[in-house]
């Protein structure tokens, strides 16, 4: 039908997931990376809204990735190498261990850490990588922070309930700023 395929073998789409054939859209694994179900679902809703006449575009800063192992692994935003490749030469990076979190200790799940990467000039959060209990749930706070352009201070100054695994996000931000208390 004449669809354009890019150099990596994906169907080429625009920000509305429209192909070069104006009444054909492509979402999910066929259109581009990352090849994740939650990204495809998001695109499906977006396309349905575009077809219904809404002015929507795919404009995300990050799509979370999760590996459902024990311990879980989750990531959002840039890795250190990606940040440097994109021109962020001065970075603030720190890890906060689950072993220093009261809730992780109480459930005997202390393996792992929350790692944060931020632009040292602005303190804007660029990436979060989590290895540990409930990483798949904790990464959502990181995704929201990255999408909003949050600074480390925004996370560090947000009161988190105690004792929870969510506190690791606050503590990791504090550690990245250089003033962790645990």
């Amino acid at each position: 039908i004449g669809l354009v395929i890019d150099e990596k073998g994906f169907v080429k789409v625009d920000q509305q997931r429209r192909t070069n054939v104006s009444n054909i859209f492509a979402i999910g694994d066929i259109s581009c990376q990352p090849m994740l179900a939650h990204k495809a679902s998001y695109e499906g809703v977006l396309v349905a809204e575009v077809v219904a006449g809404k002015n929507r575009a795919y404009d995300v800063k990050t799509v979370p990735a999760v590996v459902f192992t024990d311990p879980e692994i989750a990531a959002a935003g840039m890795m250190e190498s990606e940040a440097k490749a994109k021109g962020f030469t001065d970075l603030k990076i720190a890890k906060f261990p689950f072993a220093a979190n009261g809730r992780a200790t109480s459930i005997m799940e202390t393996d792992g850490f929350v790692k944060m990467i931020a632009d040292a000039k602005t303190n804007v959060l660029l990436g979060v990588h989590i290895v540990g209990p409930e990483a798949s749930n904790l990464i959502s706070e990181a995704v929201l922070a990255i999408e909003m352009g949050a600074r480390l201070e925004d996370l560090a100054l947000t009161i988190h309930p105690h004792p929870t695994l969510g506190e690791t996000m606050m503590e990791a931000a504090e550690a990245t700023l250089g003033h962790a208390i645990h």
Side-chain angles (χ1 to χ4, degrees):
I1 60 174
L3 294 178
V4 175
I5 307 298
D6 71 15
E7 63 281 351
K8 294 182 180 178
F10 295 107
V11 174
K12 199 165 188 175
V13 294
D14 65 13
Q15 290 295 91
Q16 292 186 316
R17 296 312 189 229
R18 189 181 308 269
T19 68
N20 61 299
V21 180
S22 65
N23 64 335
I24 297 178
F25 297 80
I27 65 165
D29 295 359
I30 195 171
S31 65
C32 61
Q33 301 237 12
M35 296 196 281
L36 299 168
H38 47 277
K39 192 242 342 158
S41 293
Y42 180 91
E43 290 173 317
V45 170
L46 181 142
V47 167
E49 290 180 353
V50 169
V51 169
K54 293 197 178 192
N55 185 18
R56 286 280 315 274
Y58 186 82
D59 182 26
V60 299
K61 291 181 182 177
T62 188
V63 175
V66 178
V67 182
F68 292 96
T69 53
D70 186 14
E72 290 183 349
I73 303 166
M78 294 182 246
M79 293 185 297
E80 192 175 336
S81 59
E82 291 174 295
K84 288 178 180 176
K86 290 189 177 188
F88 297 99
T89 55
D90 191 11
L91 298 171
K92 286 185 180 177
I93 302 169
K95 289 182 185 177
F96 180 78
F98 277 96
N101 174 263
R103 180 67 177 150
T105 301
S106 74
I107 62 171
M108 295 184 285
E109 295 278 347
T110 56
D111 289 342
F113 58 86
V114 175
K115 177 181 178 180
M116 290 194 173
I117 302 166
D119 178 5
K121 294 180 182 112
T122 63
N123 286 344
V124 170
L125 188 62
L126 301 174
V128 177
H129 309 281
I130 305 171
V131 176
E134 297 295 326
S136 59
N137 289 315
L138 295 172
I139 200 65
S140 294
E141 182 176 352
V143 172
L144 179 62
I146 292 167
E147 286 292 337
M148 294 180 65
R151 296 164 35 100
L152 291 169
E153 294 88 347
D154 296 320
L155 288 168
L157 295 172
T158 299
I159 298 172
H160 287 67
H162 176 76
T164 64
L165 295 173
E167 288 178 291
T168 60
M169 297 296 290
M170 175 186 68
E171 299 260 19
E174 290 174 348
T176 309
L177 286 166
H179 52 80
I181 59 172
H182 292 101

